[in-house]
Every structure is written in C-alpha cells, then in structure tokens.
Amino acid sequence: RVRHLLGIRGLTPEEALGILDEAPRYQDVANQPVPRVPILMGRTVTHLFMEPSTRTQASFQLAAKRLSAEPLAFVPKFSSLSKGETFLDTARTLASMAPDIVVVRSRESGASHVLAREIPTAQIVNAGDGISEHPTQALLDAFTIRERLGRIAGVRVTIIGDLLHSRVFRSNARLLTMLGAEVRCCGPPTLVPPGLDRLGVRSLLHIAEALEGAEAVMVLRIQHERMHASYIPTEREYYREFGVTSERLALTDSAIVLHPGPLNRGVEISSEVADGPQSVILDQVRNGVAVRMAVLAEIARSSPRSHKTDG
C-alpha cells in the first residue's frame, strides 16, 4: 500500500503500474448517471495550493468530489500566510484539524515532505513542489502514453524544453525509465541540468537528432517564474532552435505530442502541432482526473480508516 505520494522515487514499478491499471475504473465513473463512488465518503481532502494552478487543482478537486470526499480548499492569499505566517506554522495549524488527506502544491521543493513529517496522521499527495517532483503529472502522462501506444516499455520518448526548472521532467524521467521506456531529452545547454545519466536519460544537443524515431514527444514550457537570470537570448530565438513545429514533428515515428500545460504557443510549440491530430494534450487533462482518483483511492486504502467495502 502507498501511504503518501511524495514523489516517483517513493514508488516501486509494481505500485506505479497498479495505479495505472486502476485508472480506467475511474474513467468509467464519469459516464455514470451520478458520477460518484463512496470510496472517500466521510474523509476530508484538503487542497493546499500555494502556487497558481488550473489543470492540477481542478483535477484534484473533481477527483475528490467523485470519490465522495469532503473537500477543504485552502487559498493562500486569504489565509494567514498572507499575513506573514510561515509554512511550518500553517502545517501545524492544519495538523490540529486532523485532515485525512492533504494535496499540496508549493514553490518550495520538499514542501510535501515537511507536511508528511508535521501531520503524521494525514496522508500527503505532492501536486508539485518547486523544481523537485510532480508525481501525478508523470503518472497521467504514462497512462496517456500507454492508452495511445499500448505499452510503455520500449517506447521512445523525447522530452524537449526547459529541463532545468521542470519538476514534470524529473518525475517523468524517473517514472518512464523505471517502466522501461527509452527517454531522450533536448534543450538549450543553459536549460539542461547536469547528471542526467543518473536518471537514465540521454541528452542530445540538436532537436532533429532528439526527435528522430520518437514515438512520444513531451514539450515543456520555459519557466520564467523560476529564473533569476537570462537563460535564452529571446523567445523568438528559442522557437527557431527548439520549437516543436509540424516540420520537426515529421522527423518522428508519427509521435503523439504531450504537454503538461500551460502552453505558450509560438514559443515551445506551434498551434498546428498543439491542435493537430497527433496531439493528446486534452487527453492528458481528461486522464488526469481518473489517475488522481486512482491515487487518492490507493493511499486511502493504506489508512487504518480504509473501508472494508473498498475495492
């Protein structure tokens, strides 16, 4: 059983595949006359989002609702954090309320680990922490790849963009290589972190080489909000050298195209590619709800309060 989901490093291949195998069950829930199952009935899911989010936050909120949880939304700008309270004090305040599950997103790497330590009675799900990890995004990306290509093992995946500041890249690199995919990456040298060989990822300098023969292409945006220096000359120059266009996509093996969002059209990806027949970007959004339902249900089963009727 998975007690917390703090990062991909905390999962075994069997646990990751178990979540992916459960997700189709929750896709079916959306098609029910009443799209709800009682797996989390009577439990509180706190959404602690201290960083802007559209897809992840809405997806987790809908996932909790469809599992019949009692939601508690935490809005930082309307909380004591806006008055100078530290994150640690906020965590201790939450602990006194005895939440069952806390879904947390933070600009600070390691925030989910702090909550796991400070709220020992709660189960913690990392919805993105700094540049460290975004495990549920990686899980839904892997699910989407398997859904469209029929497998993950042996799939040639190319990840292009701002790799240095991307928690999505780190979680995907760990998960996809763990499940047997061949992962390559490409980006400006200033935006490629060192030590990629430790992740089992092959780094390539030229985008044409990185795209050749790829079956799945994951495009990442430039994360200006995490930059404290100039990493690229201009966005126009970046698009000319590393933008994923129809012409470049033709180098692949009819690859599907993924993007975690938000998209910056004309910077890292063209509209023709983003809206084209090989794009699975909206599939990722749809699959995100089912995969996050599977994650919440899985960690709930490891709780002493787990319902005997669950599963």
Side-chain angles (χ1 to χ4, degrees), residues 116-152:
R117 184 183 70 240
E118 294 296 326
I119 316 180
T121 58
Q123 296 174 280
I124 311 301
V125 179
N126 182 1
D129 63 332
I131 65 171
S132 180
E133 284 238 35
H134 195 347
T136 60
Q137 181 68 47
L139 286 164
L140 74 88
D141 291 341
F143 181 84
T144 303
I145 290 171
R146 190 173 72 168
E147 180 183 57
R148 292 299 293 263
L149 301 181
R151 72 193 199 286
I152 298 173

Side-chain angles (χ1 to χ4, degrees), residues 159-172:
I159 305 177
I160 298 172
D162 180 358
L163 311 175
L164 181 64
H165 302 99
S166 178
R167 56 197 176 203
V168 173
F169 166 68
R170 288 173 175 81
S171 286
N172 264 295

Side-chain angles (χ1 to χ4, degrees), residues 93-250:
T93 299
L94 283 175
S96 68
M97 300 178 187
D100 295 298
I101 298 172
V102 179
V103 180
V104 59
R105 166 172 283 203
S106 174
R107 289 184 174 86
E108 304 301 325
S109 297
S112 60
H113 293 267
V114 172
L115 286 185
R117 184 183 70 240
E118 294 296 326
I119 316 180
T121 58
Q123 296 174 280
I124 311 301
V125 179
N126 182 1
D129 63 332
I131 65 171
S132 180
E133 284 238 35
H134 195 347
T136 60
Q137 181 68 47
L139 286 164
L140 74 88
D141 291 341
F143 181 84
T144 303
I145 290 171
R146 190 173 72 168
E147 180 183 57
R148 292 299 293 263
L149 301 181
R151 72 193 199 286
I152 298 173
V155 171
R156 298 183 297 276
V157 181
T158 296
I159 305 177
I160 298 172
D162 180 358
L163 311 175
L164 181 64
H165 302 99
S166 178
R167 56 197 176 203
V168 173
F169 166 68
R170 288 173 175 81
S171 286
N172 264 295
R174 291 184 177 110
L175 179 62
L176 293 173
T177 55
M178 181 173 71
L179 298 182
E182 176 192 326
V183 181
R184 297 173 286 186
C185 68
C186 183
T190 53
L191 293 176
V192 176
L196 292 182
D197 56 324
R198 294 195 298 271
L199 291 176
V201 175
R202 183 184 176 199
S203 179
L204 298 169
L205 183 60
H206 302 291
I207 189 171
E209 184 183 3
L211 289 172
E212 185 177 0
E215 297 171 89
V217 175
M218 187 176 299
V219 188
L220 304 175
R221 69 181 178 89
I222 299 172
Q223 300 198 27
H224 291 292
E225 72 274 16
R226 303 191 196 282
M227 296 181 180
H228 304 289
S230 179
Y231 287 83
I232 58 172
T234 65
E235 289 185 346
R236 180 177 296 181
E237 177 73 14
Y238 179 87
Y239 184 68
R240 183 164 61 245
E241 296 295 327
F242 295 99
V244 178
T245 62
S246 296
E247 294 75 19
R248 285 176 171 152
L249 194 58

Side-chain angles (χ1 to χ4, degrees), residues 75-96:
V75 183
K77 70 177 181 178
F78 298 130
S79 75
S80 294
L81 284 170
S82 65
K83 302 175 183 179
E85 183 174 78
T86 66
F87 175 71
L88 188 57
D89 285 333
T90 296
R92 289 167 178 167
T93 299
L94 283 175
S96 68

Side-chain angles (χ1 to χ4, degrees), residues 55-75:
R55 295 156 190 80
T56 303
Q57 186 170 17
S59 180
F60 265 115
Q61 289 174 340
L62 187 54
K65 182 176 181 180
R66 287 182 176 172
L67 292 171
S68 303
E70 297 294 332
L72 175 61
F74 182 95
V75 183

